[in-house]
Amino acid sequence: MEETTKRELVLHVNGERRSIVTRQAETLLFVLRDGLGLTGAKPGCLNGDCGACTVLVDGTPIKSCMMLAIETVGKEITSIEGLDDAPIQHAFVRHFAFQCGYCTPGFIMNAHALIERHPNADEATIQEWLESNICRCTSYQEIEAAVKEVLEAKKAKPTDP
Amino acid sequence: MVPFDFAYYRPQSIAEATALFAALERDGKRPLYYGGGTEIITLSRLNLVRTAAVIDIKSIPECRALEASADPLVLGAALALGELEEANPFPLLTKAAREVADRTARNQITLGGNICGQIFYRETALPLFVAEADVIIAGPYGIRQCRFLDLFHQQLQLGRGEFVVQFKVDRATATLPHFHRKRRKQGEVGYPLVTIAALKKDGTVRVALSGICPFPFRSADVEAHLNDRNRPVGERIQAAVDAFPRPILHDIEGSADYRLFVAAQLLEDMLRELGDGETV
Ligand code: FES
Ligand code: FES
């Protein structure tokens, strides 16, 4: 049986192929941050509770502290560095939806996926999704306002990607 | 963050998975089958799990099956709870799944993992108990199918090297009138004080509970009392609560007395909502 614990992985991150030698037991969060220098996803609780580490794997929000990097081989990973002028980023700035900003990348990735997946999200769906992330500075109202603004704008311009 | 090393395997078939398990076991690796991985990773960090090899079952097609229009319904063990919610083949199971962890975590937590992991609430087992689902299990001796409830004694009785492949649920049963409630100590966060899942078939209520004991259960005695229409509802509920298995959980989330109090309230709500509480 194969004994080596380190392996070379080829990951697709933010539209680029990145190869890295890493422990098979390493989480996606640490491979992104320490291996690939993508420090946007934040380590918070490392226990699946806070959502600061949220990234998208094939468009689905995932807590990267609870997924092995090796599980994502063959999938498309999007971190906050991969968002380019997404409407939710501007809405966060407009609504001042952060204070210290530590939770912001996780919130934005989750909110971005929500907007893409459920452009007609109702109040309950918005709440259900946003409950996955914690903000210690309690910018919750501003975050909710930012998400709703983007959803409204999208409804008004349904052909916009 | 996992503070030790392991090797990761991703078999493409049931046979490959069970053969891998046997080989790794022979090599002293203490392999673990791996679904969403959330529990293995978080408990590893706390040194509560240790292994030298994990076998990820997410590439095994049977484990990913979701046959929502078949009869019986086929639900693969490696389906994420979020996927089950969106497809909604079994509404009572959807309701149970939605109360587990949070929406993002449920993109990872699998049905099989919620039922076979170490955290003992295993709330998605409740709908499968009351629907009298079958479980398909693969292991060193091949594949077997049995009644889920018959194989669940405080936890699913899996032999060494076995893993859950699928659940099968009778299609008509999956659409019966049902009831689901989860009560926590505070708001929407944390483990349950009491979770109840129930459905009504041919005038008889079937009920399963989690959060009362350190294991989920469905009890014939409890149901006999609840369905005893010769007695007033209050008496039926009291007799049912008295017939709960023991021990009753008594911890920081809630005392034993409080859990029983909440359970009695929820049983009353359940009987009323299922049209069985007219003499309350
Ligand atoms: S760091 Fe991943 S959920 Fe908190
Ligand atoms: S802005 Fe500080 S944690 Fe959210």
Side-chain angles (χ1 to χ4, degrees):
Chain A
M1 297 254 94
E2 190 173 6
E3 288 290 335
T4 51
T5 53
K6 283 198 169 184
R7 254 205 235 175
E8 180 172 7
L9 307 180
V10 178
L11 302 180
H12 290 83
V13 187
N14 300 331
E16 292 176 7
R17 278 166 57 93
R18 302 286 302 265
S19 79
I20 175 143
V21 176
T22 185
R23 297 162 62 224
Q24 296 177 53
E26 199 51 272
T27 55
L28 179 58
L29 176 63
F30 278 89
V31 167
L32 289 173
R33 291 179 58 84
D34 297 349
L36 302 177
L38 297 169
T39 55
K42 298 291 182 240
C45 63
L46 301 182
N47 195 51
D49 297 320
C50 73
C53 64
T54 304
V55 300
L56 307 186
V57 175
D58 284 345
T60 300
I62 289 289
K63 293 180 175 179
S64 63
C65 69
M66 292 202 298
M67 180 173 273
L68 300 175
I70 197 169
E71 287 182 70
T72 63
V73 170
K75 300 186 192 291
E76 185 57 51
I77 301 158
T78 312
S79 68
I80 187 81
E81 290 89 345
L83 287 196
D84 185 9
D85 265 344
I88 188 67
Q89 293 174 296
H90 292 286
F92 261 61
V93 174
R94 262 196 307 279
H95 286 271
F96 234 119
F98 44 79
Q99 291 178 50
C100 78
Y102 201 81
C103 68
T104 309
F107 260 109
I108 287 192
M109 296 317 289
N110 192 24
H112 181 71
L114 168 65
I115 291 157
E116 294 291 305
R117 289 269 170 97
H118 296 284
N120 296 311
D122 57 12
E123 196 76 39
T125 307
I126 296 170
Q127 182 170 345
E128 188 187 13
W129 278 59
L130 292 186
E131 271 174 6
S132 298
N133 295 65
I134 292 175
C135 173
R136 286 306 304 258
C137 307
T138 66
S139 311
Y140 292 121
Q141 297 213 331
E142 293 81 359
I143 292 169
E144 188 185 346
V147 171
K148 286 184 173 166
E149 183 193 272
V150 178
L151 286 169
E152 286 307 318
K154 204 163 163 119
K155 270 179 218 157
K157 272 198 292 176
T159 47
D160 231 31
Chain B
M1 197 165 40
V2 178
F4 53 85
D5 282 323
F6 55 65
Y8 172 91
Y9 298 90
R10 193 153 181 146
Q12 306 292 314
S13 70
I14 292 174
E16 195 188 334
T18 53
L20 262 172
F21 192 98
L24 291 163
E25 183 85 331
R26 264 199 310 278
D27 283 358
K29 305 285 190 197
R30 306 284 302 163
L32 290 176
Y33 289 114
Y34 185 102
T38 57
E39 191 178 289
I40 291 178
I41 291 175
T42 52
L43 294 185
S44 292
R45 193 172 67 86
L46 303 174
N47 278 311
L48 296 173
V49 162
R50 203 174 174 100
T51 179
V54 301
I55 302 171
D56 189 338
I57 64 166
K58 291 195 294 289
S59 288
I60 300 174
E62 291 89 339
C63 295
R64 295 277 311 147
L66 174 51
E67 293 171 26
S69 42
D71 192 12
L73 307 172
V74 180
L75 309 174
L79 292 172
L81 298 184
E83 291 177 290
L84 277 168
E85 289 165 48
E86 276 176 17
N88 193 24
F90 177 10
L92 180 57
L93 180 60
T94 299
K95 288 182 184 159
R98 282 188 104 124
E99 298 287 341
V100 175
D102 60 73
R103 187 64 185 74
T104 303
R106 293 198 299 275
N107 290 329
Q108 263 183 283
I109 297 170
T110 61
L111 179 59
N114 183 250
I115 288 169
C116 301
Q118 287 191 26
I119 298 168
F120 60 71
Y121 299 102
R122 311 177 203 282
E123 290 160 281
T124 56
L126 306 183
L128 300 169
F129 287 164
V130 294
E132 305 195 335
D134 278 347
V135 60
I136 316 293
I137 292 168
Y141 308 109
I143 294 176
R144 60 187 175 128
Q145 172 164 354
C146 26
R147 181 97 78 81
F148 178 51
L149 201 51
D150 293 344
L151 209 66
F152 196 101
H153 304 291
Q154 304 205 348
Q155 55 182 334
L156 190 60
Q157 303 298 309
L158 291 176
R160 192 80 195 137
E162 287 190 320
F163 67 97
V164 175
V165 178
Q166 295 173 338
F167 295 93
K168 293 192 175 176
V169 180
D170 174 60
R171 213 167 131 73
T173 305
T175 57
L176 288 170
H178 59 264
F179 175 91
H180 187 274
R181 238 9 139 258
K182 177 169 181 169
R183 283 279 179 274
R184 302 169 175 87
K185 185 174 178 183
Q186 213 176 22
E188 302 297 322
V189 184
Y191 290 120
L193 280 172
V194 180
T195 302
I196 292 193
L199 57 76
K200 192 171 182 182
K201 181 163 194 199
D202 305 328
T204 302
V205 171
R206 299 175 180 175
V207 61
L209 296 110
S210 179
I212 303 279
C213 303
F215 48 85
F217 65 88
R218 179 182 170 198
S219 150
D221 286 348
V222 168
E223 285 179 11
H225 289 302
L226 289 172
N227 285 299
D228 179 5
R229 292 195 181 71
N230 296 318
R231 296 160 76 191
V233 166
E235 272 181 35
R236 286 152 61 186
I237 291 172
Q238 190 53 53
V241 168
D242 291 342
F244 283 171
R246 294 295 189 264
I248 306 298
L249 284 170
H250 181 75
D251 57 25
I252 187 77
E253 310 262 358
S255 67
D257 283 348
Y258 187 55
R259 286 176 196 269
L260 294 177
F261 169 78
V262 174
Q265 298 293 314
L266 291 182
L267 288 173
E268 189 177 324
D269 293 347
M270 173 201 76
L271 288 175
R272 190 181 325 105
E273 278 194 31
L274 291 177
D276 221 61
E278 47 284 331
T279 55
V280 173

